[in-house]
Amino acid sequence: APDSAAKSSKLIFGTATDSNAVSTSTPLVDRDPSTYYYVTLEAISVGDKKLAYGSGSASLATGEGNIIIDSGTTLTFLESEFYNSLESALEEAIKAKRVSDPKGLLSPCFEADKDMDLPVITFHFSGADVKLQPWNTFAQVQDHMVCFTIVPSNDIAIFGNLSQMDFLVSYDLEERSVSFTPTDCTKNP
């Protein structure tokens, strides 16, 4: 995972388009409290293994507008019951020794080496598949350790800013949609 702490991001008002970029969009859903931007997460894939979100009994994950998209929250939070399935799929996909984060903040963590193969994790929003690269979902916490930056929650589901890195995330409040365009943010002026 690259060191992104020193990188900055841009806030663009108006239209910012790249004719070569492929954008995908999902509807904004009206919910209370209205101070948040809600979208609908239908499933998450770890590599080719797709897991339905909201198929369990937890009300947090069911229905439209079941996750908040927030640029001010670092990690991504998912409903705990679903998270257990996601963690199992992750362990199957990553052929590395599981280790503990010495700070006790993130889990699962894996012993990393230069040949480590971390999976692409796709968030399947209503109408939009957003493919997250390993730098969106893992952080290097020590020289030989990477940890998953998606965590369980019993209270709230949030698509945080690490998951949004290297995407142009556009909010169209008139059309009530959010679009994601893969972008190399280091090349933006």
Side-chain angles (χ1 to χ4, degrees):
D3 178 17
S4 57
K7 293 181 185 175
S8 63
S9 59
K10 311 287 186 280
L11 180 61
I12 302 166
F13 294 96
T15 305
T17 59
D18 177 348
S19 59
N20 296 322
V22 177
S23 185
T24 184
S25 66
T26 187
L28 282 169
V29 177
D30 293 326
R31 285 192 62 176
D32 287 327
S34 61
T35 50
Y36 298 116
Y37 294 115
Y38 297 92
V39 293
T40 304
L41 179 61
E42 297 176 345
I44 294 178
S45 294
V46 177
D48 295 330
K49 183 170 186 174
K50 191 172 186 177
L51 306 166
Y53 192 69
S55 59
S57 59
S59 61
L60 176 63
T62 57
E64 290 189 344
N66 59 5
I67 190 167
I68 294 166
I69 179 168
D70 184 18
S71 61
T73 300
T74 303
L75 302 177
T76 288
F77 293 82
L78 296 174
E79 186 277 319
S80 296
E81 188 178 324
F82 172 82
Y83 185 86
N84 294 335
S85 302
L86 180 62
E87 189 174 341
S88 296
L90 203 62
E91 284 187 324
E92 281 180 33
I94 299 173
K95 308 298 184 207
K97 181 182 176 186
R98 188 159 170 179
V99 292
S100 295
D101 175 7
K103 295 181 180 173
L105 300 174
L106 300 173
S107 179
C109 297
F110 299 92
E111 200 172 84
D113 61 41
K114 61 182 178 1
D115 299 323
M116 185 176 207
D117 190 20
L118 295 171
V120 168
I121 296 177
T122 305
F123 274 61
H124 302 280
F125 295 107
S126 179
D129 291 344
V130 179
K131 290 190 173 189
L132 303 182
Q133 300 303 317
W135 61 80
N136 293 114
T137 53
F138 290 89
Q140 185 168 349
V141 297
Q142 290 187 340
D143 283 349
H144 299 290
M145 182 188 299
V146 295
C147 294
F148 198 40
T149 57
I150 298 175
V151 297
S153 172
N154 292 318
D155 302 315
I156 197 165
I158 301 175
F159 189 68
N161 64 39
L162 292 179
S163 296
Q164 298 175 51
M165 285 192 315
D166 277 344
F167 285 96
L168 177 62
V169 182
S170 306
Y171 295 81
D172 188 329
L173 301 184
E174 289 183 4
E175 295 293 324
R176 303 295 299 154
S177 68
V178 181
S179 60
F180 301 88
T181 309
T183 306
D184 183 348
C185 294
T186 61
K187 293 184 178 178
N188 283 348

